[in-house]
Each structure stands twice: as structure tokens, then as C-alpha cells.
Amino acid sequence: MENKGFYNEILTEHNIRPEFKHDLEDADIVLEGVNPSCGDDIFLKLKMDGDVITDGAFIGDGCAISQASADIMLGMVIGKNKDEALAMGEIFMKMIKGEATDEEIDSLEEASALKDIAHMPARVKCAVLGWRTLKEAMGGRE
Ligand code: ZN
């Protein structure tokens, strides 16, 4: 909790200057992720080389948490293979449920900025939207 200001800064930064919020031509996978309870609506776009995510981006609209979370996620999964990306997603889901260990939270780097969402049930669907869409895009189901 003592780092709350720092975490908010990370989220704000990803909202003001998202690195991956743009169109991606020739994406191999395009999948829409919707969170009706908040109005978040994104299109996740991924380029794949076999199992490896070589590039990614998203477009769409939504609240600050959904947009920051998707932007942070893309920074983490680009360059990773499908299994690695899904494993990160699992840890992220655990963190959001308040079940992750400190070590697991640390491994999420910038995404750990969203750990306090575990105490804000109304925002959980916003925080996991990008990750949920990624999982679906990778062929997994909830
Ligand atoms: Zn939202």
C-alpha cells in the first residue's frame, strides 16, 4: 500500500502514452474483448511466428484500468511464446483474485501495479479484459 502513488503513476503513464494502442496491419489474430459491465471494448491484434508472439497491439475504448492493463500486458507478452504468455496470464489472474504470492506478484513487473484491484471487485473485469482476450486468442477458454 505504501507504493500506491507509484502504482497509480504506472497506470496513468500507460493511459497517457500507451505504447501498444494502435492498429496492427496484417495481424494473424484479431479478437474482440468486451466487458459490458463497464463498457470496455478492445480489439487485441497479434502477429505470430509459430508459437511466438512477435508483435501485438490493441485498439478500442474503455476505462483507464482496462486500457492500462492491456498496454502493460502487450509489453510483457511480445517476444514470448504461447505457453509463457498463458503462464503470465495465470499469475495475473491469481494476483487479481488475491491469491498470488509476493514472488509471483514481483514476477509480473509492471502488471503488479494492478494488484490492488483484488480489493475492488467492480474493477476486476476491467483489469483482466486484456488477459482474458489474450487467453481466448491463444485458443484457451476461461
Ligand atoms: Zn472498465
Side-chain angles (χ1 to χ4, degrees), residues 35 38-40 62-66 123 125-126:
N35 171 23
C38 175
D40 308 319
C63 66
I65 290 174
S66 68
R123 310 315 299 274
K125 284 181 180 165
C126 306

Side-chain angles (χ1 to χ4, degrees), residues 92-110:
F92 186 82
M93 296 294 180
K94 268 177 88 175
M95 178 184 78
I96 293 297
K97 289 181 198 157
E99 294 168 358
T101 64
D102 286 347
E103 220 167 52
E104 286 174 326
I105 292 172
D106 280 349
S107 77
L108 290 174
E109 299 171 18
E110 279 199 321

Side-chain angles (χ1 to χ4, degrees), residues 8 18 25 34 44 48 58 62 94 110 116 127 134:
N8 284 336
E25 277 181 42
V34 183
L44 184 66
M48 305 293 294
F58 74 103
K94 268 177 88 175
E110 279 199 321
D116 288 337
L134 177 76

Side-chain angles (χ1 to χ4, degrees), residues 7-21 40 42 58 60-76 92 110-114 117 123 126-131:
Y7 289 133
N8 284 336
E9 243 169 65
I10 292 177
L11 299 183
T12 304
E13 182 64 24
H14 280 276
N15 268 285
I16 299 172
R17 277 181 284 273
E19 201 181 336
F20 302 101
K21 190 173 182 179
D40 308 319
I42 62 167
F58 74 103
D61 293 300
C63 66
I65 290 174
S66 68
Q67 305 294 294
S69 183
D71 200 56
I72 291 169
M73 177 191 78
L74 282 161
M76 293 172 68
F92 186 82
E110 279 199 321
S112 65
L114 290 152
I117 302 293
R123 310 315 299 274
C126 306
V128 304
L129 179 64
W131 291 98

